[in-house]
Amino acid sequence: MKKLVLFYNPVSGHAAFKNKLDGMVEAFQRRNILLLMFRTKKEGNEDFVDFVRETEPEGILAAGGDGTVHECVNLMVKNNIDLPLGIIGSGTSNDFATYLKINEDMEKYFDIIASGKSCRMDLGKVGEDYFINVASAGMMTGIAHEVDARLKNALGKMAYYIKGIGELPKFRAVPMTIEADGKLHELEAFLFVVINSAVVGSMKNVAKDVSVTDGKLDLLAIRKCGIPSLMAVTADLIAGKPVSEKDKVLHIQARSFRITAAEPLQSDLDGEIGPQLPLTIETVPQAIAVYCDVQG
């Protein structure tokens, strides 16, 4: 019988995943797969590494939001655990899973996992930490950490939008220097995101020609502009329209970035607090195998 380790967050989203555990166990047993449960803690999940090495599974499933996937990926890559990863989106935000469309039909996805089909995908790296989907900084990027947990559990993604609207009057641009594969760009920007996929903050298709297998990352920076222009960009994002070709948006594809700002800015990696700027961001090509039947 094939064995898979399930790295699951019991409090992601509405803390409802634990009520689905029995159904998942049954679904995989039907496919002759044994799930080995690893229940995450708020902090200190390094013992996951020993758990994987002792149980010797054929693959790993991460169930939770983007932060749970981020933690699982870092534990795997930093400890040379080169096993296929399955993503079971059950958090408030599941951007990478949404991009790959792997959670639209769970029975189909379980079949893909059972078949062992996977493809290797790029990761981003900041210092010693990896991100699977996005690194960002500037206005709005700290909202995920400021939203009250009770509000997030009650309203889900809408909680972020409500918080963001309240922050609009405080928006101001920051002078930034962006070096992309050696080429310099200087601008004043409200924020930037460096993305691996085209789904960010639950907003789909934010840029054209984004791929998780091309050995590059995409940077989008919203230039200084008036509130009406900023609202127009935001409206397109929420509507699922790409903004990469808009006048107020700088879009660069590159293998590496060096980003500095004229004032202290805290970064965000996959929804988790990252280091302060300056940031050096690198692409790690084909760093991890992900169960899927779609090439990004």
Side-chain angles (χ1 to χ4, degrees):
M1 179 177 277
K2 182 185 288 189
K3 295 183 295 184
L4 298 174
V5 165
L6 176 63
F7 181 90
Y8 78 96
N9 184 340
V11 298
S12 283
H14 300 275
F17 177 74
K18 54 192 175 185
N19 299 323
K20 301 177 183 178
L21 268 176
D22 184 66
M24 277 196 64
V25 171
E26 187 275 333
F28 279 102
Q29 280 186 189
R30 275 191 281 114
R31 293 168 171 84
N32 201 35
I33 295 173
L34 174 65
L35 290 185
L36 305 173
M37 311 297 178
F38 185 91
R39 184 183 189 274
T40 67
K41 304 179 290 291
K42 187 174 182 180
E43 294 180 358
N45 289 301
E46 289 78 12
D47 50 342
F48 169 71
V49 176
D50 289 336
F51 184 86
V52 171
R53 288 174 176 159
E54 290 172 8
T55 55
E56 298 183 338
E58 282 85 351
I60 294 170
L61 307 180
D66 293 326
T68 301
V69 177
H70 173 86
E71 182 178 16
C72 188
V73 165
N74 274 273
L75 287 168
M76 291 174 65
V77 178
K78 290 179 182 180
N79 291 283
N80 300 311
I81 298 174
D82 191 9
L83 295 171
L85 174 68
I87 301 173
I88 313 297
S90 62
T92 304
S93 183
N94 304 290
D95 290 340
F96 201 72
T98 299
Y99 172 72
L100 294 175
K101 301 178 181 178
I102 57 180
N103 287 342
E104 293 181 356
D105 183 337
M106 293 310 300
E107 287 292 326
K108 178 181 177 182
Y109 189 48
F110 293 162
D111 285 338
I112 291 168
I113 293 170
S115 73
K117 189 172 184 179
S118 67
C119 54
R120 299 202 71 88
M121 299 182 183
D122 305 333
L123 292 176
K125 188 178 184 185
V126 177
E128 297 302 313
D129 292 325
Y130 298 86
F131 63 91
I132 195 167
N133 198 57
V134 62
S136 63
M139 304 296 110
M140 289 285 284
T141 58
I143 283 175
H145 310 297
E146 298 169 7
V147 172
D148 184 89
R150 292 168 298 178
L151 183 65
K152 187 165 67 171
N153 284 337
L155 299 179
K157 298 171 188 175
M158 187 58 64
Y160 297 133
Y161 297 135
I162 292 171
K163 177 69 175 177
I165 291 170
E167 294 294 309
L168 278 176
K170 303 177 187 177
F171 264 35
R172 58 189 179 83
V174 176
M176 295 183 186
T177 299
I178 298 170
E179 182 180 349
D181 288 347
K183 185 176 180 180
L184 287 177
H185 303 262
E186 294 186 350
L187 71 160
E188 288 185 76
F190 290 119
L191 60 88
F192 72 84
V193 294
V194 176
I195 57 176
N196 194 23
S197 86
V199 179
V200 180
S202 301
M203 294 176 285
K204 302 177 182 179
N205 305 316
V206 298
K208 294 182 177 180
D209 302 321
V210 175
S211 170
V212 295
T213 60
D214 63 356
K216 296 181 181 180
L217 298 168
D218 288 65
L219 178 142
L220 298 173
I222 301 181
R223 300 178 187 272
K224 182 179 180 180
C225 59
I227 291 294
S229 296
L230 179 61
M231 290 296 290
V233 172
T234 304
D236 280 349
L237 286 169
I238 294 173
K241 299 178 182 178
V243 299
S244 50
E245 296 178 356
K246 285 189 167 291
D247 291 340
K248 300 302 180 183
V249 177
L250 172 67
H251 178 211
I252 310 168
Q253 289 184 326
R255 292 177 174 83
S256 66
F257 298 91
R258 173 73 175 174
I259 306 169
T260 60
E263 60 184 69
L265 287 179
Q266 188 84 48
S267 70
D268 178 288
L269 306 180
D270 290 333
E272 302 297 305
I273 295 174
Q276 283 201 331
L277 270 64
L279 293 183
T280 297
I281 303 174
E282 302 172 316
T283 311
V284 187
Q286 299 187 354
I288 194 165
V290 177
Y291 287 117
C292 69
D293 63 353
V294 178
Q295 290 284 342

